[in-house]
Amino acid sequence: MQLHDLTWPAVEAYLQRSGGVIIPIGSTEQHGPSGVIGTDAMVADAIARETGRRADLLVAPLFSIGVAEHHMAFPGTLSLRPSTLIALLLDTLHSLAHHGFRRFFFINGHGGNIATLKAAFSEIHAGQRGQGGDRALGCALVNWYEVADVVRLRKQYYADREGRHATPSEIAVIQYLRPDLIHDQPLPPPGPLRSEVQGADDFRAKYPDGRMGGWSDLANPQQGQALFEAAVRGLVRQVPAFFSS
Ligand code: NI
């Protein structure tokens, strides 16, 4: 069930039975020569929506732009500074808390958001110091690609060809969700993984086509469906337990 689809009386009724909300967050950034710019956002949003549907829990609107500074040398990438994203997250969580929500479960599609999400959680907890009991707020973060059964499948399908960015696993999920976006021309092997990247220009110098070791063209929609199902199954087990904690 999605917040955008409800009326205010329906939200009020939901709050009678749950104080928990699922929040998808992704990124708008290059994903190599065959992956679409919206990959991280679209995958996180679809997994969150399906988790909410199966568990009968509320899903907030997607945070579609994240912290993607390293990808800014590629056209189409949009990036928020960490301080901007923290401000957006805090205003959103404070709005939800104002109405009575107490548990916020983020489903994330982009590694570059993790440090900023954790910083926002620390800000929330600092602002709450001394407020225990049923007013205490709780935040959780799961990266869909780190759900246990997803990790197992990523290893089984792609082993060390998974890489770190424009990975075949995320491209496969997009191929399952959006067959109209499949790019089926073969790509040359990606270059090797390099030492730590220092900013956008250095990223493009080290990874000229945008892939970080990911053999994107190993992806297929059947694997994408299995990865998607594994993520949703794992989350349908985890989220209700967190909401009732
Ligand atoms: Ni990605």
PDB file of all heavy atoms in Angstrom, residues 27 29-31 39-41 71 109-111 144-145 164-167 170, ligand 1:
ATOM      1  N   SER A  27      19.119   6.155  -6.491  1.00  0.00           N
ATOM      2  CA  SER A  27      20.025   7.163  -7.030  1.00  0.00           C
ATOM      3  C   SER A  27      19.688   7.350  -8.500  1.00  0.00           C
ATOM      4  O   SER A  27      19.057   6.488  -9.111  1.00  0.00           O
ATOM      5  CB  SER A  27      21.474   6.692  -6.871  1.00  0.00           C
ATOM      6  OG  SER A  27      22.376   7.673  -7.344  1.00  0.00           O
ATOM      7  N   GLU A  29      21.869   7.921 -11.584  1.00  0.00           N
ATOM      8  CA  GLU A  29      23.281   7.978 -11.956  1.00  0.00           C
ATOM      9  C   GLU A  29      23.589   6.996 -13.080  1.00  0.00           C
ATOM     10  O   GLU A  29      22.890   5.980 -13.245  1.00  0.00           O
ATOM     11  CB  GLU A  29      24.165   7.641 -10.744  1.00  0.00           C
ATOM     12  CG  GLU A  29      24.000   6.205 -10.285  1.00  0.00           C
ATOM     13  CD  GLU A  29      24.779   5.871  -9.015  1.00  0.00           C
ATOM     14  OE1 GLU A  29      24.757   6.688  -8.072  1.00  0.00           O
ATOM     15  OE2 GLU A  29      25.392   4.794  -8.977  1.00  0.00           O
ATOM     16  N   GLN A  30      24.649   7.282 -13.797  1.00  0.00           N
ATOM     17  CA  GLN A  30      25.088   6.415 -14.895  1.00  0.00           C
ATOM     18  C   GLN A  30      25.292   4.987 -14.411  1.00  0.00           C
ATOM     19  O   GLN A  30      25.740   4.752 -13.287  1.00  0.00           O
ATOM     20  CB  GLN A  30      26.371   6.979 -15.509  1.00  0.00           C
ATOM     21  CG  GLN A  30      27.621   6.875 -14.644  1.00  0.00           C
ATOM     22  CD  GLN A  30      28.361   5.537 -14.750  1.00  0.00           C
ATOM     23  OE1 GLN A  30      28.095   4.746 -15.661  1.00  0.00           O
ATOM     24  NE2 GLN A  30      29.260   5.284 -13.816  1.00  0.00           N
ATOM     25  N   HIS A  31      24.941   4.029 -15.274  1.00  0.00           N
ATOM     26  CA  HIS A  31      25.183   2.609 -14.989  1.00  0.00           C
ATOM     27  C   HIS A  31      25.871   1.931 -16.165  1.00  0.00           C
ATOM     28  O   HIS A  31      25.435   0.868 -16.631  1.00  0.00           O
ATOM     29  CB  HIS A  31      23.871   1.905 -14.623  1.00  0.00           C
ATOM     30  CG  HIS A  31      23.576   1.981 -13.147  1.00  0.00           C
ATOM     31  ND1 HIS A  31      23.107   3.118 -12.559  1.00  0.00           N
ATOM     32  CD2 HIS A  31      23.731   1.079 -12.159  1.00  0.00           C
ATOM     33  CE1 HIS A  31      22.982   2.911 -11.254  1.00  0.00           C
ATOM     34  NE2 HIS A  31      23.353   1.675 -10.981  1.00  0.00           N
ATOM     35  N   THR A  39      18.480   3.024 -12.695  1.00  0.00           N
ATOM     36  CA  THR A  39      18.574   1.650 -12.171  1.00  0.00           C
ATOM     37  C   THR A  39      18.375   1.568 -10.653  1.00  0.00           C
ATOM     38  O   THR A  39      17.493   0.846 -10.164  1.00  0.00           O
ATOM     39  CB  THR A  39      19.935   1.012 -12.565  1.00  0.00           C
ATOM     40  OG1 THR A  39      20.001   0.930 -13.991  1.00  0.00           O
ATOM     41  CG2 THR A  39      20.092  -0.378 -11.973  1.00  0.00           C
ATOM     42  N   ASP A  40      19.183   2.289  -9.888  1.00  0.00           N
ATOM     43  CA  ASP A  40      19.140   2.133  -8.422  1.00  0.00           C
ATOM     44  C   ASP A  40      17.796   2.572  -7.843  1.00  0.00           C
ATOM     45  O   ASP A  40      17.301   1.987  -6.869  1.00  0.00           O
ATOM     46  CB  ASP A  40      20.245   2.973  -7.761  1.00  0.00           C
ATOM     47  CG  ASP A  40      21.628   2.440  -8.076  1.00  0.00           C
ATOM     48  OD1 ASP A  40      21.739   1.367  -8.689  1.00  0.00           O
ATOM     49  OD2 ASP A  40      22.600   3.130  -7.706  1.00  0.00           O
ATOM     50  N   ALA A  41      17.220   3.621  -8.441  1.00  0.00           N
ATOM     51  CA  ALA A  41      15.938   4.125  -7.944  1.00  0.00           C
ATOM     52  C   ALA A  41      14.803   3.164  -8.299  1.00  0.00           C
ATOM     53  O   ALA A  41      13.964   2.821  -7.456  1.00  0.00           O
ATOM     54  CB  ALA A  41      15.670   5.510  -8.539  1.00  0.00           C
ATOM     55  N   HIS A  71      29.894   9.843  -9.868  1.00  0.00           N
ATOM     56  CA  HIS A  71      29.399   9.550 -11.222  1.00  0.00           C
ATOM     57  C   HIS A  71      29.113  10.814 -12.030  1.00  0.00           C
ATOM     58  O   HIS A  71      28.580  10.746 -13.134  1.00  0.00           O
ATOM     59  CB  HIS A  71      28.137   8.681 -11.124  1.00  0.00           C
ATOM     60  CG  HIS A  71      28.399   7.386 -10.421  1.00  0.00           C
ATOM     61  ND1 HIS A  71      29.085   6.354 -11.014  1.00  0.00           N
ATOM     62  CD2 HIS A  71      28.104   6.969  -9.168  1.00  0.00           C
ATOM     63  CE1 HIS A  71      29.195   5.348 -10.153  1.00  0.00           C
ATOM     64  NE2 HIS A  71      28.609   5.695  -9.032  1.00  0.00           N
ATOM     65  N   GLY A 109      19.020   1.149  -2.706  1.00  0.00           N
ATOM     66  CA  GLY A 109      19.568   0.568  -3.926  1.00  0.00           C
ATOM     67  C   GLY A 109      20.935   1.092  -4.311  1.00  0.00           C
ATOM     68  O   GLY A 109      21.433   0.755  -5.390  1.00  0.00           O
ATOM     69  N   HIS A 110      21.571   1.900  -3.454  1.00  0.00           N
ATOM     70  CA  HIS A 110      22.818   2.575  -3.869  1.00  0.00           C
ATOM     71  C   HIS A 110      23.797   2.681  -2.697  1.00  0.00           C
ATOM     72  O   HIS A 110      23.494   3.349  -1.693  1.00  0.00           O
ATOM     73  CB  HIS A 110      22.450   3.967  -4.402  1.00  0.00           C
ATOM     74  CG  HIS A 110      23.620   4.831  -4.700  1.00  0.00           C
ATOM     75  ND1 HIS A 110      24.647   4.435  -5.529  1.00  0.00           N
ATOM     76  CD2 HIS A 110      23.939   6.087  -4.280  1.00  0.00           C
ATOM     77  CE1 HIS A 110      25.544   5.409  -5.605  1.00  0.00           C
ATOM     78  NE2 HIS A 110      25.134   6.419  -4.854  1.00  0.00           N
ATOM     79  N   GLY A 111      24.963   2.053  -2.865  1.00  0.00           N
ATOM     80  CA  GLY A 111      25.966   2.043  -1.794  1.00  0.00           C
ATOM     81  C   GLY A 111      26.400   3.434  -1.360  1.00  0.00           C
ATOM     82  O   GLY A 111      26.700   3.661  -0.183  1.00  0.00           O
ATOM     83  N   TRP A 144      19.105  -3.829  -0.746  1.00  0.00           N
ATOM     84  CA  TRP A 144      18.431  -5.024  -1.293  1.00  0.00           C
ATOM     85  C   TRP A 144      19.425  -6.073  -1.764  1.00  0.00           C
ATOM     86  O   TRP A 144      19.185  -7.272  -1.637  1.00  0.00           O
ATOM     87  CB  TRP A 144      17.468  -4.634  -2.431  1.00  0.00           C
ATOM     88  CG  TRP A 144      18.133  -4.227  -3.713  1.00  0.00           C
ATOM     89  CD1 TRP A 144      18.440  -2.951  -4.103  1.00  0.00           C
ATOM     90  CD2 TRP A 144      18.617  -5.089  -4.750  1.00  0.00           C
ATOM     91  NE1 TRP A 144      19.088  -2.981  -5.321  1.00  0.00           N
ATOM     92  CE2 TRP A 144      19.203  -4.280  -5.742  1.00  0.00           C
ATOM     93  CE3 TRP A 144      18.603  -6.478  -4.947  1.00  0.00           C
ATOM     94  CZ2 TRP A 144      19.783  -4.801  -6.903  1.00  0.00           C
ATOM     95  CZ3 TRP A 144      19.176  -6.999  -6.105  1.00  0.00           C
ATOM     96  CH2 TRP A 144      19.754  -6.163  -7.061  1.00  0.00           C
ATOM     97  N   TYR A 145      20.584  -5.610  -2.285  1.00  0.00           N
ATOM     98  CA  TYR A 145      21.571  -6.540  -2.845  1.00  0.00           C
ATOM     99  C   TYR A 145      22.346  -7.272  -1.766  1.00  0.00           C
ATOM    100  O   TYR A 145      23.182  -8.122  -2.073  1.00  0.00           O
ATOM    101  CB  TYR A 145      22.521  -5.786  -3.801  1.00  0.00           C
ATOM    102  CG  TYR A 145      23.069  -4.494  -3.218  1.00  0.00           C
ATOM    103  CD1 TYR A 145      24.223  -4.491  -2.443  1.00  0.00           C
ATOM    104  CD2 TYR A 145      22.398  -3.284  -3.407  1.00  0.00           C
ATOM    105  CE1 TYR A 145      24.711  -3.315  -1.894  1.00  0.00           C
ATOM    106  CE2 TYR A 145      22.868  -2.106  -2.865  1.00  0.00           C
ATOM    107  CZ  TYR A 145      24.034  -2.123  -2.102  1.00  0.00           C
ATOM    108  OH  TYR A 145      24.508  -0.959  -1.550  1.00  0.00           O
ATOM    109  N   ARG A 164      31.482  -4.060  -8.943  1.00  0.00           N
ATOM    110  CA  ARG A 164      30.955  -3.142  -7.915  1.00  0.00           C
ATOM    111  C   ARG A 164      29.949  -2.140  -8.429  1.00  0.00           C
ATOM    112  O   ARG A 164      29.231  -1.534  -7.651  1.00  0.00           O
ATOM    113  CB  ARG A 164      32.117  -2.372  -7.272  1.00  0.00           C
ATOM    114  CG  ARG A 164      33.000  -3.279  -6.463  1.00  0.00           C
ATOM    115  CD  ARG A 164      33.886  -2.479  -5.536  1.00  0.00           C
ATOM    116  NE  ARG A 164      35.008  -3.313  -5.144  1.00  0.00           N
ATOM    117  CZ  ARG A 164      36.251  -2.877  -5.002  1.00  0.00           C
ATOM    118  NH1 ARG A 164      36.517  -1.599  -5.183  1.00  0.00           N
ATOM    119  NH2 ARG A 164      37.192  -3.695  -4.659  1.00  0.00           N
ATOM    120  N   HIS A 165      29.948  -1.889  -9.735  1.00  0.00           N
ATOM    121  CA  HIS A 165      28.995  -0.890 -10.249  1.00  0.00           C
ATOM    122  C   HIS A 165      28.590  -1.278 -11.664  1.00  0.00           C
ATOM    123  O   HIS A 165      29.410  -1.778 -12.430  1.00  0.00           O
ATOM    124  CB  HIS A 165      29.599   0.514 -10.240  1.00  0.00           C
ATOM    125  CG  HIS A 165      28.615   1.547 -10.690  1.00  0.00           C
ATOM    126  ND1 HIS A 165      27.475   1.853  -9.964  1.00  0.00           N
ATOM    127  CD2 HIS A 165      28.554   2.292 -11.814  1.00  0.00           C
ATOM    128  CE1 HIS A 165      26.773   2.761 -10.634  1.00  0.00           C
ATOM    129  NE2 HIS A 165      27.399   3.039 -11.752  1.00  0.00           N
ATOM    130  N   ALA A 166      27.291  -0.988 -11.983  1.00  0.00           N
ATOM    131  CA  ALA A 166      26.693  -1.498 -13.225  1.00  0.00           C
ATOM    132  C   ALA A 166      26.806  -3.027 -13.208  1.00  0.00           C
ATOM    133  O   ALA A 166      27.188  -3.657 -14.197  1.00  0.00           O
ATOM    134  CB  ALA A 166      27.334  -0.895 -14.472  1.00  0.00           C
ATOM    135  N   THR A 167      26.475  -3.589 -12.053  1.00  0.00           N
ATOM    136  CA  THR A 167      26.615  -5.035 -11.844  1.00  0.00           C
ATOM    137  C   THR A 167      25.564  -5.780 -12.665  1.00  0.00           C
ATOM    138  O   THR A 167      24.450  -5.273 -12.881  1.00  0.00           O
ATOM    139  CB  THR A 167      26.414  -5.386 -10.364  1.00  0.00           C
ATOM    140  OG1 THR A 167      25.083  -5.022  -9.981  1.00  0.00           O
ATOM    141  CG2 THR A 167      27.409  -4.658  -9.472  1.00  0.00           C
ATOM    142  N   GLU A 170      22.034  -5.987 -10.778  1.00  0.00           N
ATOM    143  CA  GLU A 170      21.079  -4.870 -10.808  1.00  0.00           C
ATOM    144  C   GLU A 170      20.525  -4.669 -12.218  1.00  0.00           C
ATOM    145  O   GLU A 170      19.345  -4.366 -12.395  1.00  0.00           O
ATOM    146  CB  GLU A 170      21.688  -3.577 -10.241  1.00  0.00           C
ATOM    147  CG  GLU A 170      22.909  -3.075 -10.966  1.00  0.00           C
ATOM    148  CD  GLU A 170      23.546  -1.850 -10.296  1.00  0.00           C
ATOM    149  OE1 GLU A 170      22.889  -1.174  -9.503  1.00  0.00           O
ATOM    150  OE2 GLU A 170      24.731  -1.573 -10.595  1.00  0.00           O
TER     151      GLU A 170
HETATM  152 NI    NI B   1      23.522   0.759  -9.055  1.00  0.00          NI
END
